[in-house]
Amino acid sequence: MSQNHTRDESKTTATNEVEDLSLRWFPIGRSDDAAHRHVHHAKLLGRELAVWRADDDYLNVWENRCLHRGVRLSIGHNDGTELKCIYHGWRYASRTAGCTYIPAHPADAPARTICNRTFPAGERYGLMWTTEQGEGSPPEIPALEAGSPFALRSLPFDAPAALIEEHLDQYQSGGEVTVTELGPHNLLLTSDQASIVFFIQPVDSGESVVHSVLTTAPNPQNELVVLHHHARALTALRDRIETVASRLPEPTPLEPALEQIEPTDLDGQTPPSRDEAELRVTVARKWETGEGIKAFELVPLTGQLPTVQPGAHIDVHLPNGLVRQYSLTNRAGEQEHYVIGVKLEPDSRGGSACLHESVREGDVLAISAPRHNFSLRRDALDTILIAGGIGITPLLSMAETLSQGGHPFTLHYFAQSSSHLAFPDRLEELGDACRTHLGLSPEQTGDQLKDILDSYTTSQHVYICGPGPMLDAARDLAEGHRWPESAVHFEYFKNTTEVDKSAEFTISLARSGVTTTVGAGQSILKVLRDQGIAMPSSCEQGACGTCVVGVIKGEPLHQDVYLKPGERASGERIVTCVSRSLSDELILDI
Amino acid sequence: MTTTVEECTDPVALSLWHPVVAVAELNPQEIQTTLLLGYQISYGLRNDGSLGAARQDQPRVELPVRSRYGYLWVCLGEPRGDVFDIPEAEEADRRTLNAASIMVNTSAPRAVENFLDMGHFPFVHGGFLGVEPHTEVVDYEVTIENSEVWARQCLFYQPQAAASASGGQISEYTYRVPHPYCVMLTKSSPTDPSRQDVIGLFIQVMTQERIRAHNFLSVLDEDSSDTVLKRFQQIIFSQDKPILENQYPKLLPLDPRVEVPIRADKSAIAYRRWLSELGLTYSVIPGDQNSTGQATTGQRSL
């Protein structure tokens, strides 16, 4: 703990003091001020903070304004895993403060750049702490480390912190008192009767909160008497100090700077990161979650993992050099790690076999940030989720999100047998909303799907993930039963289309003016990259939709399984890893 | 604590017509006082029915005044033209009234943006102007016409769109911002769908961070009483007020790097750009295009 803070009696300028103090840790409330499902409003050095505890006890300290329209998040709702802004219902995840859902655009995944400002949080001596720009953890006070700290009532003062420090020796604790400065706004008071550490929270230039912690906890029978005594003493001190403060000229309030944000494009689309293996994770847990299915829990080597939205997938770079895509199966609001489920494919080309057989707990893997090309709407009056086999992974995450939000849904899970069901404990928690269909033949599966997709009612949505033939059957049925294309969402494991790479054509890039040729055997994606364009991609076989770009002119030859029939027909978008051109030239919106 | 009120020096704001009071709420010969752009002003209705207003520090200098759409409008500088036109309100068979004049601790542009915003309906006006899970804001059209911001084809599902509405409907609004501190919407009237009802928010800018919002109504409803019409508007406004008073900073930031807009905010984006182009500085934090440093809040002492 630094002892070298000197208080200049001739008054340092406010800015210097703020710069200095911005590196320090300060208490911002008692730990019990942040009760579950509540948002505590605090202020430090002129900056308002929204302080909230998730159900897993993680303490979040955020700038108290929603990035959208500046509304205080302290009047929002803490639902246990996310904080929901009261104005437009934007949801922000615990830990990362990343936006997970924007109700005005239910079909879009929020841009990754929409993330509230967070501050470090800590809890010590019954108090919650934060620091604007500091590092490490809240200060350790020897007198409290050695004793049995007991936090007293915290009291707001209409007075500058420095003025309180000056008058602290007037605290009536019984007998002579000695005040020792332990650090900035942090003092030890000792008398015959008590030994108290005071932490003064500089709320603003003229406002403070005094937090006080006894070095020795009172005898439990005596607690109330002790609390009462100190509350009276502190209130008396406050009256005295506030009288002095009221005679002084009012100090200028601090003006904390607002952090600037990256301008996002209005489509709200996340510009996916070019770096495909940007994250390093450790396999914290590997377990068998169903017959032939291993689950992996991946924790970051450092810092936080990017915010997860249901339906997201990541690229996993395997030790054998292969790159594979896996859906995240995180629970709603689960941010501290990523969970994936991997089925051992009998004809594995080395992806699932490597994860099943070689990768062990403790191994480090490189992964991409989550990609959100299979987004969940939360504005449906009814949602049907249809999973075939390992296709359960994104849908389980969706089901739990809908369940937590109180949205009506049914999850249909087709599997070989009950032992082949992945994550059985989590399925059980879904109760009647989860229906399993076990050991059905392809014909029986078709009949069952027909029943499920029998009738469409307005504002219903269906999400399907599973093997190709099942997906094709479900899509045909939905179309036959008059489901609008916009209500049918699907994710293929892979693209089994035979890709024709024979034709040669020209591409023109509208934004850069470049024109170039895509030769036989080349992909548009590769040619764009050769031009130095930072193109994101993931599966590179036309299934995931990561490398989609807009088409301004020309007729695409679609060879992917990502775009919906209407999107293909409109010719406005193209999956650049596999699709090509029927016209001599394509003008791309890039 | 003392509040120091800064008098406006922004030439753009000073040349505007500002609503001050609903004329129907004035008693002859009674002098009333209020704050306008940081200036203390007095106003009143003379025996001959004419209106008058003056700054308290210059009681002998008559300020330019107008009486339009039921309000007294005052200009503190040299007015440029007249109060904007509302063609619908000129129709003879209309009911035109002031539903409420409500004080709010916010800046006028924050209140204008809130009025333009559909995305908050299910969250702030649940059961009236919107309801979950119907939260989607579909694309609409925004244009600048005759130096005004217009937003058309604004569709939203509303369980109870007006006092006279029974049951849910998809409403279609047209929004219009004819003045930096005034905004209105038109929508087809429940009693005669071929004609438009008008709801306006004409804001009296008391200071940069304090307003009195005058809620203008011009409707074809012949059945609902004034009380019923007013109460509906007052319920809606009472739901907006706590939101407006919890926005930070209070002044509207015109720098696009301070707040994140989405497609649904197209009209607000156009409004912010339009304010920048007008060169308005009062009640906003002007965007500094060249700034690379951090934006400050522009918050002043309270």
Side-chain angles (χ1 to χ4, degrees), chain B residues 149-179:
Chain B
V149 181
W150 285 77
R152 290 191 174 84
Q153 287 146 38
C154 304
L155 301 171
F156 210 81
Y157 176 81
Q158 302 199 311
Q160 199 194 343
S164 58
S166 53
Q169 63 180 72
I170 304 254
S171 299
E172 178 172 348
Y173 286 2
T174 297
Y175 289 100
R176 175 186 168 203
V177 191
H179 178 298

Side-chain angles (χ1 to χ4, degrees), chain B residues 6-8 13-14 18 35-39 76 181 205-206 282:
Chain B
E6 227 171 298
E7 292 173 346
C8 173
L14 287 171
H18 297 276
L35 258 181
L36 184 62
L37 306 180
Y39 295 91
L76 289 167
Y181 307 136
V205 182
M206 302 177 74
Y282 197 74

Side-chain angles (χ1 to χ4, degrees), chain B residues 52-104:
Chain B
R55 271 165 54 176
Q56 288 193 337
D57 59 345
Q58 298 175 349
R60 283 166 213 287
V61 183
E62 284 249 351
L63 291 170
V65 294
R66 286 284 187 284
S67 174
R68 282 198 92 174
Y69 312 118
Y71 296 96
L72 164 62
W73 300 75
V74 176
C75 180
L76 289 167
E78 284 289 313
R80 289 187 206 151
D82 206 340
V83 176
F84 53 87
D85 285 322
I86 310 175
E88 297 88 348
E90 308 285 355
E91 295 164 7
D93 56 345
R94 294 220 162 225
R95 281 175 66 193
T96 294
L97 58 130
N98 179 43
S101 295
I102 297 173
M103 200 108 80
V104 191

Side-chain angles (χ1 to χ4, degrees), chain B residues 93-205:
Chain B
D93 56 345
R94 294 220 162 225
R95 281 175 66 193
T96 294
L97 58 130
N98 179 43
S101 295
I102 297 173
M103 200 108 80
V104 191
N105 283 311
T106 188
S107 65
R110 286 283 194 195
V112 170
E113 271 200 359
N114 179 66
F115 190 92
L116 286 173
D117 179 77
M118 290 181 281
H120 75 288
F121 288 168
F123 301 98
V124 178
H125 307 296
F128 294 97
L129 305 185
V131 68
E132 286 189 83
H134 307 282
T135 56
E136 184 163 20
V137 177
V138 293
D139 198 21
Y140 55 90
E141 197 180 282
V142 178
T143 52
I144 305 285
E145 289 165 36
N146 305 319
S147 268
E148 298 183 353
V149 181
W150 285 77
R152 290 191 174 84
Q153 287 146 38
C154 304
L155 301 171
F156 210 81
Y157 176 81
Q158 302 199 311
Q160 199 194 343
S164 58
S166 53
Q169 63 180 72
I170 304 254
S171 299
E172 178 172 348
Y173 286 2
T174 297
Y175 289 100
R176 175 186 168 203
V177 191
H179 178 298
Y181 307 136
C182 296
V183 57
M184 67 184 84
L185 65 84
T186 54
K187 55 175 184 174
S188 72
S189 169
T191 50
D192 180 355
S194 70
R195 296 174 63 194
Q196 304 287 305
D197 280 346
V198 184
I199 300 172
L201 200 65
F202 303 156
I203 299 170
Q204 174 188 349
V205 182

Side-chain angles (χ1 to χ4, degrees), chain A residues 124-126 143-151 213-218:
Chain A
R124 189 165 276 170
Y125 313 133
L144 294 174
E145 293 296 319
S148 49
F150 181 79
V213 183
L214 286 178
T215 56
T216 311

Side-chain angles (χ1 to χ4, degrees), chain A residues 234-354:
Chain A
L234 199 59
T235 310
L237 182 72
R238 174 166 74 174
D239 290 347
R240 201 166 301 150
I241 293 174
E242 287 188 346
T243 309
V244 177
S246 67
R247 293 191 196 113
L248 299 173
E250 201 175 310
T252 316
L254 301 173
E255 284 194 25
L258 292 183
E259 201 174 47
Q260 288 194 343
I261 44 171
E262 286 177 51
T264 40
D265 73 46
L266 284 187
D267 291 335
Q269 296 295 320
T270 308
S273 162
R274 170 75 181 86
D275 186 356
E276 281 135 27
E278 61 188 298
L279 306 169
R280 295 285 177 279
V281 289
T282 307
V283 178
R285 194 155 82 92
K286 172 180 175 181
W287 72 102
E288 178 143 327
T289 180
E291 203 172 318
I293 303 167
K294 296 263 195 241
F296 297 79
E297 194 178 282
L298 311 173
V299 299
L301 279 190
T302 53
Q304 302 270 14
L305 291 167
T307 310
V308 182
Q309 293 151 22
H313 81 266
I314 54 169
D315 300 346
V316 178
H317 295 248
L318 297 169
N320 61 10
L322 292 175
V323 182
R324 288 289 180 267
Q325 288 73 45
Y326 295 102
S327 292
L328 295 179
T329 313
N330 282 40
R331 285 172 185 268
E334 200 173 37
Q335 276 297 339
E336 65 274 29
H337 49 235
Y338 290 163
V339 179
I340 58 172
V342 180
K343 184 188 168 200
L344 180 63
E345 296 295 341
D347 56 345
S348 171
R349 287 175 296 147
S352 62
C354 174

Side-chain angles (χ1 to χ4, degrees), chain A residues 27 96 114 133 156 207 276 286 310 356 404 418 437 461 472 543:
Chain A
T96 62
I114 306 180
Q133 296 181 59
E207 292 167 61
E276 281 135 27
K286 172 180 175 181
H356 270 251
Q404 196 187 29
S418 60
H437 307 280
H461 284 265
D472 293 342

Side-chain angles (χ1 to χ4, degrees), chain A residues 24-98:
Chain A
R24 309 282 173 182
W25 285 81
F26 288 103
I28 48 170
R30 287 167 50 102
S31 281
D32 50 14
D33 286 334
H36 283 145
R37 307 290 173 121
H38 169 70
V39 190
H40 173 65
H41 175 276
K43 197 173 176 187
L44 181 66
L45 299 169
R47 185 185 302 284
E48 285 194 28
L49 303 169
V51 183
W52 66 283
R53 199 183 287 284
D55 283 357
D56 65 0
D57 278 335
Y58 187 90
L59 187 66
N60 293 282
V61 179
W62 296 357
E63 175 109 57
N64 191 20
R65 52 188 287 271
C66 174
L67 282 181
H68 179 217
R69 286 292 171 82
V71 168
R72 287 192 172 96
L73 291 170
S74 55
I75 60 169
H77 300 286
N78 166 1
D79 78 358
T81 57
E82 292 177 326
L83 192 61
K84 179 180 161 197
C85 177
I86 198 170
Y87 196 8
H88 295 93
W90 289 26
R91 294 178 160 274
Y92 297 97
S94 174
R95 293 171 192 259
T96 62

